[in-house]
Amino acid sequence: MAFSAMHSHVLSGEVQLSNCKSSHCKSRAQHLKVSAAVSAPSAPVEARRPAATGGVKHAMTLTEKILAKHSDNTRLQPGANIWTNVDKLLTHDVCGPGTFGIFEKEFGEGAQVWDPEKVIIIPDHYIFTSDPRANRNVDILRDMVAKYGIKYFYDITDRADFRANPDYKGVCHIAMAQEGHCLPGEVLFGTDSHTCNAGAFGQFASGIGNTDAGFILGTGKLLIKVPPSIRFVLDGEMPPYLLAKDIILQIIGEITVAGGTYKAMEFSGEAIQAMSMEERMTICNMVVEAGAKNGICPPDAITFDYVQQRTDAPFEAVQADAGASYVEEYRFDVSKLEPLVAAPHSPDNRKKAADCSNVNIDRVYIGSCTGGKTEDFVAAAKLMHQAGGKVKVPTYLVPATQKVWMDVYGMPVPGCDGKTAAQIFQAAGCDTPASPSCAACLGGPKDTYARMNKPEVCVSTTNRNFPGRMGHKDGQVYLASPYTAAASAMTGRVADPRDFL
């Protein structure tokens, strides 16, 4: 087995210990409480003078250190209830109108937003549709932006041609990164469960509901419980046929969709250090599929380079302390992992792609905040170029943002004779890359591009495969990496990308 797990969690007054890998031993250890007895000294001892900081240093995880700084605490432990200051609030067309509605109801008609420059509004979910209610949501946001002077609003007014809207970006989580809104050490909340995507930048980023978001609009603060942290150490070198999507599917399959419930999932190790920012985003993006409060990667030179190319805003990065306490630790040797899929109907229904080769499919979908970034399309194009020939099933392409769309059409794919991804996709018979948005990832109105309006089998680079997630309640969705999705498109069945790479 490519992983090991270890428990080591210390709380005041009791110690929980486990150093055993067997399920029986682990189960007993999780319930074992050892009282800590402390004897008084037999003779008076001269009191030690306090440190200059006013107290003994307490080792903290990356999440705990960020939250301590934002709540004016010198130390924090899991389970503590704190008021955290918020650096940024993200909302979009689905939840934005409700968030402002709650804000106005609870704070009063004359209230002002706590900081109009710290609210980011990115329409992205139900954009390219004729549904009047979906369209009205964007109109409401436009009114709220004008009323409260919100600085960062990435509007769309001409839905017939997204390129006619220079302010429109596309999928909010990728646009947040591309526009320089993701900064190490900050606290970000968003009215979308995949706000955790931004944890790739070494910041605390978590999804919240409209009520909490409405409170943040009025105060810039939020009451939260400090989550315990699980550490995932990813050792080894990534094989050329693996992508970050395979890694996070491995992890979710290991701990289940409930294994990270209200925990921080902290990622480290040489495999993480070697990943690009887009691949780190893929890892952090899907921690919510394990129930996590947030996911986070230590910021490093790769992080700083990405951020500083996009913004000159100051930031203060933090790192986890040596000796910090984690409720669990998992180690994976990524060099031993294989291409995976999550079979219907749960992200933790982990299977090897090679073991699903008898599953015939009806379509392939490449897109979303998880699998619609530039590097995702480059990977898919690379495999199709090497495979040659035509796709066997309809293959839908939805770039996450305008920037990604431009890369698909303008950036040569390395090792592909100077061809762009768009040229490779066209030669392979894929559908023309669509307007940037969330599109069919979450179903949407019936005229949403690539929505599953009948019970089909789809291999998708998205993040969820619950019944009805991409449209029809009887549809079947296999979650996969861009490599696996492209290989499946070329064969008309769930395929292992090693057949082509």
Side-chain angles (χ1 to χ4, degrees):
M1 189 172 293
F3 80 98
S4 63
M6 169 181 71
H7 290 250
S8 177
H9 184 203
V10 181
L11 297 174
S12 80
E14 48 186 58
V15 182
Q16 297 177 326
L17 298 172
S18 172
N19 195 26
C20 176
K21 297 180 182 178
S22 73
S23 58
H24 174 70
C25 180
K26 183 185 292 186
S27 176
R28 291 193 58 193
Q30 286 174 331
H31 297 286
L32 177 65
K33 296 183 179 180
V34 182
S35 298
V38 180
S39 300
S42 56
V45 177
E46 182 180 355
R48 185 180 68 84
R49 298 180 64 131
T53 56
V56 179
K57 181 174 175 59
H58 171 74
M60 290 186 286
T61 68
L62 190 46
T63 291
E64 290 162 6
K65 287 186 77 171
I66 294 173
L67 293 178
K69 176 185 173 184
H70 283 74
S71 60
D72 298 321
N73 284 291
T74 57
R75 58 179 292 176
L76 283 180
Q77 286 186 313
N81 292 314
I82 61 165
W83 285 101
T84 182
N85 293 309
V86 178
D87 291 301
K88 294 186 180 78
L89 174 67
L90 164 69
T91 192
H92 50 52
D93 54 297
V94 174
C95 296
T99 293
F100 277 97
I102 291 170
F103 164 71
E104 292 186 340
K105 177 184 177 183
E106 300 299 333
F107 287 90
E109 193 65 30
Q112 294 299 310
V113 169
W114 108 95
D115 191 332
E117 294 192 6
K118 293 184 176 182
V119 179
I120 300 103
I121 302 178
I122 307 179
D124 64 350
H125 276 56
Y126 305 146
I127 305 302
F128 302 103
T129 173
S130 60
D131 186 291
R133 290 171 295 183
N135 297 338
R136 176 58 181 153
N137 273 3
V138 181
D139 295 339
I140 293 172
L141 290 179
R142 196 173 296 115
D143 293 342
M144 294 297 103
V145 166
K147 182 175 181 179
Y148 295 107
I150 305 298
K151 181 177 181 179
Y152 297 107
F153 175 45
Y154 298 101
D155 194 9
I156 181 167
T157 54
D158 184 355
R159 296 191 307 277
D161 181 4
F162 71 89
R163 290 167 293 182
N165 304 267
D167 291 338
Y168 177 71
K169 300 303 174 186
V171 178
C172 61
H173 309 300
I174 310 308
M176 285 285 290
Q178 293 176 342
E179 296 303 310
H181 295 303
C182 297
L183 298 179
E186 288 200 340
V187 168
L188 164 70
F189 288 105
T191 59
D192 189 283
S193 59
H194 290 106
T195 300
C196 52
N197 186 86
F201 292 84
Q203 67 182 120
F204 178 84
S206 188
I208 54 174
N210 293 2
T211 302
D212 283 347
F215 187 85
I216 292 173
L217 275 179
T219 66
K221 299 178 181 292
L222 191 63
L223 178 66
I224 67 167
K225 181 178 290 186
V226 178
S229 293
I230 306 175
R231 180 162 58 184
F232 297 86
V233 183
L234 306 179
D235 295 318
E237 184 177 350
M238 290 274 283
Y241 48 80
L242 276 193
L243 293 170
K245 183 66 169 289
D246 297 297
I247 305 302
I248 193 60
L249 290 180
Q250 170 74 21
I251 290 171
I252 296 171
E254 198 62 55
I255 69 175
T256 80
V257 290
T261 301
Y262 209 90
K263 295 181 176 70
M265 294 173 63
E266 184 177 309
F267 302 96
S268 61
E270 55 190 352
I272 289 290
Q273 294 168 3
M275 283 184 185
S276 68
M277 286 311 302
E278 291 197 359
E279 286 284 82
R280 296 180 195 185
M281 284 188 240
T282 300
I283 294 280
C284 288
N285 179 276
M286 283 192 67
V287 301
V288 70
E289 272 68 59
K293 181 67 173 176
N294 67 299
I296 196 163
C297 295
D300 57 15
I302 293 174
T303 316
F304 305 147
D305 183 60
Y306 184 101
V307 170
Q308 290 166 348
Q309 287 183 31
R310 290 159 177 80
T311 180
D312 57 3
F315 59 84
E316 186 176 342
V318 301
Q319 301 289 340
D321 292 324
S325 180
Y326 297 85
V327 290
E328 291 179 285
E329 181 175 294
Y330 291 84
R331 285 185 175 270
F332 295 84
D333 182 348
V334 301
S335 68
K336 298 179 180 179
L337 300 181
E338 299 183 59
L340 300 172
V341 297
H345 291 284
S346 180
D348 63 1
N349 191 11
R350 182 185 64 194
K351 297 182 184 298
K352 294 179 181 179
D355 292 342
C356 298
S357 60
N358 62 334
V359 177
N360 294 322
I361 64 174
D362 301 300
R363 53 159 59 197
V364 166
Y365 184 96
I366 301 174
S368 82
C369 55
T370 313
K373 303 178 292 298
T374 295
E375 291 176 12
D376 298 318
F377 286 103
V378 167
K382 176 184 174 182
L383 186 141
M384 289 184 182
H385 177 77
Q386 292 188 208
K390 300 282 188 179
V391 296
K392 300 295 193 297
V393 293
T395 301
Y396 303 100
L397 312 169
V398 187
T401 65
Q402 284 219 50
K403 173 66 168 62
V404 175
W405 189 93
M406 289 188 288
D407 288 343
V408 166
Y409 275 91
M411 188 175 76
V413 177
C416 294
D417 304 323
K419 295 179 180 178
T420 66
Q423 290 172 325
I424 294 170
F425 294 144
Q426 182 179 23
C430 299
D431 212 42
T432 302
S435 301
S437 74
C438 296
C441 174
L442 71 164
K446 285 195 173 182
D447 62 349
T448 298
Y449 175 77
R451 185 183 191 272
M452 292 175 67
N453 289 323
K454 55 185 179 180
E456 294 181 313
V457 179
C458 177
V459 172
S460 177
T461 65
T462 54
N463 42 57
R464 288 176 184 159
N465 58 350
F466 308 124
R469 168 68 180 184
M470 293 187 71
H472 200 285
K473 63 182 178 62
D474 294 324
Q476 297 184 54
V477 177
Y478 286 78
L479 303 178
S481 77
Y483 277 160
T484 301
S488 301
M490 301 306 294
T491 60
R493 53 180 172 79
V494 176
D496 189 318
R498 289 176 291 187
D499 295 339
F500 301 100
L501 293 174

